[in-house]
Amino acid sequence: LQHLNISHNELTDLSYVKAFIGILTLNISYNNISTKDFDHLTQLKTLKTLAIKGNPIMSIHVARLVLLAKFMHKSRMVSVDGTEPSSSEQARIRQLTKRYGDDIDRWPFAQS
């Protein structure tokens, strides 16, 4: 399985996605994901493209930045909702890492 579209299913958490080893593209858009527990997504070592728009979590201003930071800290770049991480997002993540450390979950604005 390399591509999976499970959008529009009223899913509420991400714990199940770690089972999709080898997946390249994952569409979990328009569900009810409201937690910032992105660690399950970063366990998908082959993931290149993620669609996550339309979930309550993505309405939080810093959610995309936190998600991108989780991937960057694992030395990976993932396209999120059709957009590669911009150079300014990458620079901001480096600044925040320098200021707050590598544990993104401890960044003041990244806490649930």
Side-chain angles (χ1 to χ4, degrees):
L1 180 65
Q2 293 183 325
H3 309 281
L4 181 63
N5 182 343
I6 47 177
S7 61
H8 300 277
N9 279 292
E10 298 186 27
L11 303 172
T12 57
D13 76 54
L14 302 170
S15 61
Y16 60 89
V17 299
K18 60 187 172 196
F20 303 124
I21 298 168
I23 197 155
L24 298 173
T25 304
L26 178 61
N27 185 343
I28 53 174
S29 297
Y30 301 101
N31 281 293
N32 289 319
I33 299 167
S34 59
T35 178
K36 282 189 254 180
D37 187 12
F38 295 134
D39 291 331
H40 297 294
L41 295 170
T42 61
Q43 291 177 18
L44 301 173
K45 300 197 184 310
T46 58
L47 186 66
K48 299 288 182 208
T49 305
L50 173 67
I52 192 169
K53 65 185 172 189
N55 283 288
I57 187 62
M58 297 311 288
S59 66
I60 298 170
H61 177 68
V62 297
R64 176 180 165 85
L65 194 65
V66 169
L67 178 59
L68 292 173
K70 294 258 184 183
F71 280 107
M72 277 183 66
H73 282 211
K74 296 205 179 259
S75 300
R76 299 187 34 233
M77 290 292 166
V78 173
S79 171
V80 176
D81 291 328
T83 307
E84 299 288 328
S86 69
S87 57
S88 63
E89 286 173 322
Q90 293 175 48
R92 182 73 176 134
I93 290 166
R94 285 190 293 274
Q95 290 172 342
L96 291 168
T97 301
K98 186 175 181 179
R99 182 172 183 181
Y100 296 114
D102 289 330
D103 188 352
I104 298 160
D105 293 326
R106 292 181 166 265
W107 291 3
F109 52 83
Q111 298 173 4
S112 301

